[in-house]
Amino acid sequence: MDEAVERRRFLGLTAAAAALGLTATMTGCGSLGGDSGDVTLRLVAADYDLTGGDTTKKYWNDLVAAFEAQHPGIRVEVSIESWDDVDRKVSEMVEADKAPDIAQIGAYADYAAAGDLYAAEELLTIPVQANFLAPLVEAGEYKRTQYGLPFVASTRPLFYNQSLFDDAGIDAPTSWAELAEAAEKLKDNGVRTPFALPLGPEEAQAEALMWLLSGGGGWTDATDRYAVDSDANIKTFDWLKKNLVGKGLTGPVAPGKLNRKAAFAAFAKGEVGMLNGHPSLLQEAAKKGVKVGQVPLPGIEGPPKAAMGVADWIMGFKQNGHRKEIGAFLNFVFTDDNVLKFAGDNDLLPVTVSASSRMETEPEHADLRVFLKTLPDSQLPPVGKTSWAKVSENVKQNIGKAVTPAGRPADVLGSIGRVATAAENAE
């Protein structure tokens, strides 16, 4: 995921193959087997299996088998790559004029800007395209045209260690003041890290955005221009520095040196009272006997207007001219059973309205409902900007300085903001 990614298994497509195939033929282009000749689509996809297993490969293999049974003139070859490598490998393929037909990766905007991608409307039926959740459609647009098709999503609520809260006699916080008070009580009760604040370079841009949104700001303004050093953003980091970091409530590692992976590992060991969580952490914590409570990240005086959402993307490349075949395959990918299967097995969220409605009612997905509840109103990072990769990297390297003893949030955010605006003007 742009923001470090998380994963797991498969529900058995054999019994559902007929139902899945029904949607797969609805490409708006008629039957694709006989009149287009044999076509081989090449798909590069990211590996979501956190355990080193082959659950991602099995998912795609089973899905492809079901698809090919309905479309004998189309074959799909799948290459699974680690998240460390997949974006780079696709970029290298495109630069070498050997683009895949389909890529499931972390970003799409640079390819859209270069004219490499089919638009969503060129690939999907109207019902399939209209079924995506609204914030994900907006995030998938480059210059008001959707090129990035959301594949899976997640949101980030506040996780807390229920046992540590019970021991300290604390209720789940609903405002910043209550969060700071809870952190103080945890510290008084001997908790080493009352609140883990990972502003290290692994995923600082996401951690920061969660706080900016809870303070009524964000990376961009209402006109979608960068507003990194807005008054709301500066006030948010002033509060973090004064009320959490400055009072020793964020643990022994400076936030700018703390990465998300280390924070999650410490939470799963029972060493952290609170942090902004991700669905994948639920199972890891449960394995180690940590009882997790979940609430929306508190805002200044209560629940914020928007939570942060993140998404991974799937896209169709133009180079090989396989628009109809790519469209047939992607319509098949976005059937409810396929969407739900991959999302549920990897502790992530479905990207469509219909699959989300099913997840809300199916008991096996109960743990994901708190995440699901905030997704329709979530705000994603500005992934539709080609400048975002540069801006995001700058945030990763520098935002932690805003809460150091010598740091001034206004200066740090101002510096990041100037680089962001320059990058935006160069787009």
Side-chain angles (χ1 to χ4, degrees):
M1 233 167 208
D2 149 59
E3 341 281 337
V5 241
E6 314 77 11
R7 350 286 176 196
R8 234 160 249 75
R9 14 168 212 224
F10 191 99
L11 187 144
L13 282 168
T14 0
L20 297 176
L22 184 63
T23 305
T25 59
M26 294 170 55
T27 63
C29 306
S31 174
L32 297 174
D35 58 4
S36 61
D38 288 349
V39 168
T40 297
L41 299 177
R42 290 174 175 82
L43 164 66
V44 178
D47 188 357
Y48 286 75
D49 195 314
L50 291 176
T51 66
D54 64 353
T55 57
T56 300
K57 181 178 180 180
K58 177 169 170 36
Y59 173 85
W60 285 113
N61 284 348
D62 289 349
L63 185 148
V64 164
F67 172 78
E68 290 179 348
Q70 296 292 322
H71 296 82
I74 307 174
R75 294 184 64 244
V76 183
E77 294 180 355
V78 182
S79 174
I80 306 296
E81 303 287 349
S82 76
W83 272 105
D84 291 339
D85 300 324
V86 66
D87 288 277
R88 174 182 57 81
K89 288 194 174 185
V90 170
S91 176
E92 290 173 351
M93 293 171 72
V94 173
E95 289 175 5
D97 291 327
K98 296 179 180 179
D101 295 286
I102 303 166
Q104 189 276 297
I105 52 178
Y108 69 88
D110 285 347
Y111 301 121
D116 294 332
L117 303 180
Y118 289 114
E121 63 187 14
E122 296 178 280
L123 299 173
L124 303 177
T125 65
I126 292 174
V128 171
Q129 190 178 359
N131 198 24
F132 292 126
L133 292 164
L136 304 181
V137 173
E138 183 178 349
E141 291 180 345
Y142 173 74
K143 293 189 175 179
R144 302 187 181 277
T145 297
Q146 185 183 1
Y147 295 94
L149 312 180
F151 183 66
V152 284
S154 73
T155 58
R156 308 286 176 86
L158 178 72
F159 281 7
Y160 60 94
N161 184 313
Q162 185 69 66
S163 298
L164 296 180
F165 266 55
D166 291 345
D167 289 346
I170 307 169
D171 293 325
T174 61
S175 67
W176 283 3
E178 290 179 4
L179 187 150
E181 183 181 357
E184 291 271 17
K185 290 181 178 178
L186 289 167
K187 182 181 180 182
D188 293 343
N189 218 36
V191 177
R192 191 171 183 228
T193 304
F195 192 99
L197 184 65
L199 292 175
E202 180 188 349
E203 206 191 30
Q205 82 289 356
E207 180 71 22
L209 180 56
M210 288 181 255
W211 283 99
L212 298 183
L213 291 172
S214 73
W219 293 127
T220 56
D221 60 20
T223 66
D224 198 36
R225 303 287 293 180
Y226 285 117
V228 178
D229 58 344
S230 67
D231 288 345
N233 290 350
I234 292 170
K235 287 178 181 177
T236 293
F237 270 85
D238 280 337
W239 187 90
L240 285 171
K241 180 178 177 180
K242 177 182 177 181
N243 295 281
L244 290 186
V245 183
K247 293 183 177 179
L249 302 177
T250 53
V253 180
K257 303 291 185 183
L258 181 65
N259 281 325
R260 187 191 68 158
K261 185 176 180 180
F264 279 16
F267 184 86
K269 293 177 183 176
E271 299 171 355
V272 172
M274 296 175 279
L275 51 61
N276 294 326
H278 185 283
S280 68
L281 182 55
L282 287 176
Q283 289 194 19
E284 192 61 31
K287 287 177 188 175
K288 298 186 177 180
V290 174
K291 185 178 180 183
V292 181
Q294 307 174 53
V295 292
L297 176 63
I300 299 175
E301 296 180 351
K305 294 180 180 179
M308 187 192 76
V310 292
D312 297 330
W313 307 95
I314 192 166
M315 61 211 72
F317 282 85
K318 291 179 177 179
Q319 182 178 322
N320 302 315
H322 295 152
R323 181 182 67 84
K324 291 182 179 181
E325 293 82 1
I326 294 170
F329 184 72
L330 290 176
N331 278 290
F332 188 81
V333 166
F334 287 114
T335 56
D336 280 357
D337 284 351
N338 282 336
V339 170
L340 261 179
K341 180 61 192 160
F342 195 86
D345 287 351
N346 291 284
D347 291 328
L348 295 167
L349 302 180
V351 295
T352 64
V353 174
S354 55
S356 296
S357 296
R358 280 181 52 180
M359 181 174 274
E360 286 177 352
T361 60
E362 294 178 353
E364 62 265 36
H365 303 305
D367 286 347
L368 295 172
R369 287 177 193 156
V370 67
F371 301 90
L372 194 65
K373 184 177 181 181
T374 58
L375 184 58
D377 298 315
S378 65
Q379 182 172 321
L380 279 75
V383 293
K385 293 177 175 290
T386 57
S387 58
W388 175 239
K390 180 178 181 179
V391 174
S392 175
E393 187 60 31
N394 190 16
V395 172
K396 290 178 182 181
Q397 299 301 324
N398 293 298
I399 196 67
K401 298 173 184 176
V403 295
T404 60
R408 293 187 69 248
D411 291 345
V412 174
L413 290 170
S415 176
I416 295 171
R418 288 189 291 275
V419 172
T421 298
E424 183 173 53
N425 291 340
E427 282 184 302

